[in-house]
Amino acid sequence: MYLYASKVAPAVLILAGAVGLGGCATKSYVREQIAPVSQRVDTLEARLQETDGTAKAALAEAQAASGQLQTSGQRLDQLNGRVDSVEQRLQAQESRGKRPRN
């Protein structure tokens, strides 16, 4: 019996110590531990919202620039057509001017 008690006693002491030392964390301790993490998350959320706003503004500007570019491209195409027409008329006049006169 003494041999059994000498083997069981340390196991009971270790188990009791683990249960006693493990304990539950208090709400204030948990809040204290989570506060720095919560602050970092809040900071990152604010930065993310700022970045999101910047990205949306950049997208709006890019879309506006794209529209202006498309309009400019259309105007350039019209001008190219007019220039081609003027060049054709000049070439026609030059070719008429080079003919010998009777």
Side-chain angles (χ1 to χ4, degrees), residues 79-97:
L79 288 174
N80 279 336
R82 290 174 65 186
V83 168
D84 289 344
S85 174
V86 170
E87 283 179 344
Q88 288 174 356
R89 280 190 259 156
L90 284 174
Q91 286 176 354
Q93 285 179 355
E94 286 176 357
S95 66
R96 275 187 262 150

Side-chain angles (χ1 to χ4, degrees), residues 62-83:
Q63 288 172 335
S66 176
Q68 290 174 350
L69 181 62
Q70 187 175 12
T71 301
S72 296
Q74 290 170 349
R75 293 176 79 191
L76 183 60
D77 289 343
Q78 291 172 351
L79 288 174
N80 279 336
R82 290 174 65 186
V83 168

Side-chain angles (χ1 to χ4, degrees), residues 22-85:
C24 295
T26 62
K27 287 182 182 180
S28 63
Y29 175 79
V30 171
R31 285 187 196 123
E32 195 176 289
Q33 297 302 311
I34 290 179
V37 175
S38 181
Q39 288 174 348
R40 288 181 66 195
V41 168
D42 291 343
T43 302
L44 289 174
E45 281 180 349
R47 288 177 60 192
L48 178 60
Q49 287 177 354
E50 181 182 334
T51 302
D52 187 48
T54 303
K56 285 180 180 177
L59 176 61
E61 288 179 22
Q63 288 172 335
S66 176
Q68 290 174 350
L69 181 62
Q70 187 175 12
T71 301
S72 296
Q74 290 170 349
R75 293 176 79 191
L76 183 60
D77 289 343
Q78 291 172 351
L79 288 174
N80 279 336
R82 290 174 65 186
V83 168
D84 289 344
S85 174

